[in-house]
Amino acid sequence: MASNTKKSLLASGLALCASVALLMGSTFAWFTDSVTNTGNVITAGSLRIDATAYDVYDATVEGAQEGMSVTLDGRTATFEAAGQDLKTDSTPIIGDTLFEPGRSNLKLLTVANNGTLAAKVKLEFDVTDGGLMEALWFDFVQVGSDGTVTGELTERPMETLEALSAREIPLSAGESVSFVLIYGMDEEAGNEYQDKTFEADVTVLATQYTEETDGFGSDQYDKDANYDNTKVVTSADGSALTTEE
């Protein structure tokens, strides 16, 4: 009897071991599920400004074509249709060499936001006075795409030119703004200004503007953005163009 019990226990033990061995080689089936989301991308927008300067139209220049006309103080000036790209052409936009009392001149300057992000822009001036500044005046007058003038011509002392750096202009993506720069020499300027000079380097600065919103609904995350990212420089002495982006 005891022998049969031992044989039964042994057989049960062998059967259990065999079952464990079979289980170790088996794959269990569980309830499962999954969700996959692919193609997630973050792409940075672009901040890109372009600046173009236009000379007054001169019918004697071969190939010149008439562009925008602007009326200032009862006088109309017409600018050339083709302008100078200040990002690729370092030629100074001002090169008057025979200035005299009572004479004035004009340039048209257009700044365009050709990036995908809103930007704010401003002009920065680095002035070098060779004794002529006190006899000069200027004004920047904003004009629309049809030549409509915003405001009136005001002859401002050239010594206040650098103060314009505080003026900021917002530009949404794809927008542009145009100004007429008019400058002249006082009629009362005396002989002491003969052979004197005035130079100014012009930089067009741009940085982010508070237009786009973030995930919290705020458009103020870039309110303190500085102007170190984009520069378009034309030097009055003809030095090389400097561009930083």
Side-chain angles (χ1 to χ4, degrees), residues 58-73:
D58 185 351
T60 65
V61 176
E62 183 178 356
Q65 295 182 340
E66 295 184 45
M68 181 187 296
S69 292
V70 177
T71 300
L72 290 169
D73 198 25

Side-chain angles (χ1 to χ4, degrees), residues 156-178:
R156 309 175 190 276
M158 189 64 78
E159 61 189 14
T160 66
L161 179 65
E162 291 177 301
L164 282 180
S165 298
R167 182 179 181 184
E168 297 179 326
I169 301 171
L171 288 177
S172 297
E175 286 188 339
S176 63
V177 63
S178 295

